[in-house]
Amino acid sequence: MWRLCEGAHPVLTDEGGAILSERSGRWAYLTPTASAAVMLLLAFTSQEEAAARFADRYGIGAGQAAAGVRTVTEALATQDLSYDGKTAAKPRRRWWKGWQS
């Protein structure tokens, strides 16, 4: 199951979107189709289900939809905004006045 990492806050619409990373303080901006892919990934339990709905929504082939969804998931994972749910998310460390929590 695909998930956003802790501290990643999405703002998603059909016109596009962004994801704020608390860790870096930066926004990752999404195209409308990438935003739709993220909304579908968050709504369904598997990437395959999300890709099937993506194909239906945009009237494209299953292979093309799966490739598009995979591209979005890989791009967000590269930016440490998401993980696949099979592996543990990277531990989050907060440093404040010398204390670690």
Side-chain angles (χ1 to χ4, degrees), residues 35-85:
S35 181
V38 171
M39 285 190 282
L40 291 168
L41 284 161
L42 292 171
F44 293 97
T45 58
S46 73
Q47 288 186 28
E48 293 77 19
E49 287 179 291
R53 293 292 181 128
F54 194 78
D56 290 342
R57 180 176 187 160
Y58 290 102
I60 59 176
Q64 183 180 359
V69 169
R70 186 172 44 255
T71 299
V72 170
T73 60
E74 290 171 357
L76 294 177
T78 300
Q79 297 177 50
D80 290 330
L81 293 172
S82 69
Y83 65 103
D84 64 8

Side-chain angles (χ1 to χ4, degrees), residues 19 31 84 91:
I19 300 174
T31 64
D84 64 8

Side-chain angles (χ1 to χ4, degrees), residues 15-33:
E15 290 83 31
I19 300 174
L20 172 65
S21 170
E22 283 183 8
R23 259 181 253 192
S24 69
R26 293 183 171 190
W27 289 91
Y29 295 99
L30 305 171
T31 64
T33 52

